[in-house]
């Protein structure tokens, strides 16, 4: 679908106004949408709504589109990331019509008389074009999945065959399909699970990275219990999984997706950095490198609060002990007496330079909480590592990463 010049001109001219009112428009949009289509509360993360992160994300995406309306290829990385996220949640074409209707209404309501018919028409066209880009890419992803051996799309019933405590706050769930096959995945990718307890008014969909190497007869997710603090309540999904999902229970699981995964074509030294539960996609990569007999030099750097919250230590120690190309380092931020012998502090440029022999040439993958992500990005920038060697996943709406100061 091509964009006509009038639409381009109007959208570009009005982008600053939309920017000014972006969060107001998207906040109003979500209110309209949940009022008229309450079934979509089963799709969106209502905690992100409460925190206000999701409205900012959508505002950012719309603005991004407005800026590049005549140069859509510039958006391809963002489109891929979002389409993968949408695909994991099984977003359907008909839902774009619903979103579009409420979004345009929200623009009208917030801008009032300033929203002339020409402006509304241009933004309707612009939304339609963006929606068609996503619908096409998501359709392609669904086709790829359905055409795999034993392929499927949407959500399937999986049995929790094993539940294992990995640390005082992280528990793994081994998931096997009730019938049919597993879809394969790239190490680093994630799935979505649908969770609904009797106390929940709607389904809670949550993404979890697959924490074991591909090729097993199960999916493994490893979930950190999200404990509330101050006026922040306990996390709904993670606490439900920890407290109420037991071995033998059945939960609904979506297709594996995500644009953050190991580049297997590369031969470069590889650095896998993780903070806390951000260890999950990194462990999948490490296990996969081992399973495929990779000879690449692998540096494993894991930051945790202390030995108590340090998950998968013995697995990684064992891999390090039995593979001369792997080295592992742990760094703790808390000062427990029993951790006296461990490194203390946070990941920074000096640590990476000390541990990674060929640090400017290596490939980096990292994941963790926001302060960790900031620290690692800063460190890599200080060390002059090129953007193409840096890959990361963020366990939340990715908007938050764009605010990381370099
Ligand atoms: C690609 C991806 C991969 C992921 N992989 C993993 C993984 O491997 N392991 C893992 O543990 N997690 C992972 N996550 C995170 C996971 O999806 C969940 O976000 C996490 O488990 C928390 O979900 P929850 O339902 O427990 O918390 P939620 O209920 O979603 O709450 C999230 C936060 O919002 C706060 N909040 C809720 N309501 C309000 C309110 N009214 N006001 C203010 N604050 C509020 C809560 O206190 C909490 O801090 C991943 C996320 C993504 C996007
Ligand atoms: C052109 C239209 C759309 C744009 C620009 C858009 C943009 C985005 C962006 C930027 C994210 C965050 C991705 C990330 O985590 O990095 C996101 C997530 C999401 N999108 Fe969309 N989206 C669109 C349409 C839709 C539709 C039609 C639906 C379904 C009704 C939908 C449902 C979701 C959900 C459920 C999430 C996860 C967010 C959460 O945590 O609740 N989106 N989208």
């Amino acid at each position: 679908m091509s964009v006509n010049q009038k639409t381009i001109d109007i959208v570009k001219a009005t982008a600053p106004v939309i920017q000014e009112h972006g969060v107001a428009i998207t906040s109003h949009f979500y209110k309209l949408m949940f009022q008229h289509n309450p079934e979509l509360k089963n799709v969106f993360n209502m905690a992100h709504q409460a925190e206000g992160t999701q409205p900012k994300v959508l505002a950012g995406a719309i603005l991004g589109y407005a800026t590049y309306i005549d140069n859509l290829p510039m958006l391809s990385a963002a489109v891929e990331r979002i389409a993968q996220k949408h695909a994991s949640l099984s977003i359907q074409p008909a839902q774009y019509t619903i979103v579009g209707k409420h979004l345009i209404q929200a623009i009208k309501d917030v801008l009032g008389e300033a929203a002339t018919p020409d402006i509304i028409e241009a933004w309707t066209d612009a939304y339609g074009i963006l929606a068609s880009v996503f619908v096409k890419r998501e359709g392609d992803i669904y086709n790829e999945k359905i055409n795999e051996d034993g392929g499927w799309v949407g959500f399937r019933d999986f049995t929790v065959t094993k539940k294992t405590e990995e640390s005082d706050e992280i528990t793994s769930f081994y998931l096997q399909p009730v019938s049919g096959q597993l879809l394969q995945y790239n190490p680093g990718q994630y799935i979505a699970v649908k969770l609904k307890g009797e106390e929940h008014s709607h389904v809670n969909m949550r993404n979890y990275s697959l924490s074991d190497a591909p090729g097993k007869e199960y999916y493994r997710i490893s979930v950190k219990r999200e404990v509330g603090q101050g006026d922040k309540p306990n996390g709904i999904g993670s606490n439900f999984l920890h407290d109420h999902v037991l071995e033998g229970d059945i939960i609904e699981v979506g297709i594996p997706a995500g644009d953050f995964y190991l580049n297997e074509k590369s031969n470069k030294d590889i650095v896998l950095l993780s903070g806390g539960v951000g260890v999950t996609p990194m462990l999948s990569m490490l296990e996969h490198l081992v399973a495929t007999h990779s000879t690449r030099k692998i540096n494993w750097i894991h930051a945790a609060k202390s030995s108590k919250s340090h998950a998968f230590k013995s697995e990684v120690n064992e891999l390090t002990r039995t593979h001369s190309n792997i080295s592992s380092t742990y760094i703790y931020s808390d000062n427990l007496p029993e951790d006296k012998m461990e490194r203390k502090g946070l990941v920074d440029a000096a640590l990476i330079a000390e541990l990674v022999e060929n640090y400017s040439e290596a490939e980096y993958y990292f994941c963790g909480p926001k302060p960790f992500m900031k620290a690692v990005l800063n460190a890599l920038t200080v060390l002059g590592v090129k953007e193409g060697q840096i890959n990361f996943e963020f366990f939340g709406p990715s908007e938050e990463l764009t605010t990381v100061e370099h």
Side-chain angles (χ1 to χ4, degrees), residues 45 47 194 293 300 304 331:
N45 181 334
K194 280 188 183 178
H293 310 290
W300 175 269
I331 180 160

Side-chain angles (χ1 to χ4, degrees), residues 45 47 50-51 85 190 206-209 222-224 226 231-239 277 280 393-396:
N45 181 334
E51 286 185 306
K85 176 69 69 70
Y190 52 81
R206 296 291 183 268
N207 288 118
Y208 291 102
S209 300
S222 307
V223 179
K224 178 187 164 209
E226 205 62 55
D231 52 3
K232 284 183 132 207
N234 284 338
I236 295 173
S238 59
N239 282 283
V277 75
T280 51
E393 178 72 287
F394 194 77
F395 283 178

Side-chain angles (χ1 to χ4, degrees), residues 192-206:
V193 295
K194 280 188 183 178
L195 304 166
K196 187 170 183 313
E198 276 166 18
E199 69 279 27
H200 300 148
S201 54
H202 49 78
V203 172
N204 300 286
M205 279 211 250
R206 296 291 183 268

Side-chain angles (χ1 to χ4, degrees), residues 96-247:
Y96 281 87
T97 312
I98 299 173
V99 164
K101 186 174 96 182
H102 297 307
L103 189 62
I104 297 302
Q105 187 59 47
I107 294 177
K108 279 188 196 165
D109 290 351
V110 171
L111 296 189
E113 281 176 8
T116 63
D118 273 358
I119 292 176
I120 291 303
E121 196 185 321
W123 278 90
T124 305
D125 283 356
Y127 173 81
I129 289 158
L130 184 58
S132 70
V133 170
F134 282 112
V135 167
K136 165 83 174 67
R137 179 64 192 125
E138 287 155 26
D140 288 346
I141 296 171
Y142 298 143
N143 278 334
E144 281 162 28
K145 299 290 181 192
I146 202 108
N147 286 323
E148 277 181 33
D149 261 359
W152 47 279
V153 287
F155 282 78
R156 280 206 159 174
D157 283 349
F158 276 62
T159 308
V160 178
T161 50
K162 193 160 80 160
K163 194 174 164 184
T164 312
E165 245 179 54
E166 309 288 2
S167 76
D168 67 351
E169 52 186 23
I170 298 176
T171 293
S172 286
F173 297 79
Y174 290 73
L175 309 168
Q176 289 188 259
V178 168
S179 63
Q181 284 175 237
L182 285 177
L183 277 167
Q184 274 321 310
Y185 59 92
N186 295 313
Q189 289 192 305
Y190 52 81
I191 54 169
V193 295
K194 280 188 183 178
L195 304 166
K196 187 170 183 313
E198 276 166 18
E199 69 279 27
H200 300 148
S201 54
H202 49 78
V203 172
N204 300 286
M205 279 211 250
R206 296 291 183 268
N207 288 118
Y208 291 102
S209 300
L210 293 158
S211 62
D212 206 344
K216 305 275 165 72
E217 70 281 8
Y218 53 79
Y219 289 153
R220 183 179 70 184
I221 58 171
S222 307
V223 179
K224 178 187 164 209
R225 186 194 283 278
E226 205 62 55
V227 179
Q229 271 175 346
D231 52 3
K232 284 183 132 207
N234 284 338
I236 295 173
S238 59
N239 282 283
F240 181 73
L241 278 161
H242 275 249
D243 295 336
H244 299 293
V245 175
L246 307 173
E247 287 179 1

Side-chain angles (χ1 to χ4, degrees), residues 30 33 40 43-46 48-49 54 57-58 61-62 81-82 85-86 89 91-93 95-97 99 127 130-131 134 205 207 394 396-399:
Y30 280 112
M33 185 172 72
L40 289 180
V43 176
F44 285 86
N45 181 334
M46 300 310 285
H48 290 164
Q49 296 296 319
Q54 183 62 20
V57 169
L58 190 54
I62 294 168
R81 190 192 74 239
I82 298 164
K85 176 69 69 70
H86 284 163
L89 302 166
I91 301 302
Q92 298 301 313
Q95 293 171 326
Y96 281 87
T97 312
V99 164
Y127 173 81
L130 184 58
F134 282 112
M205 279 211 250
N207 288 118
F394 194 77
S398 308
E399 164 266 349

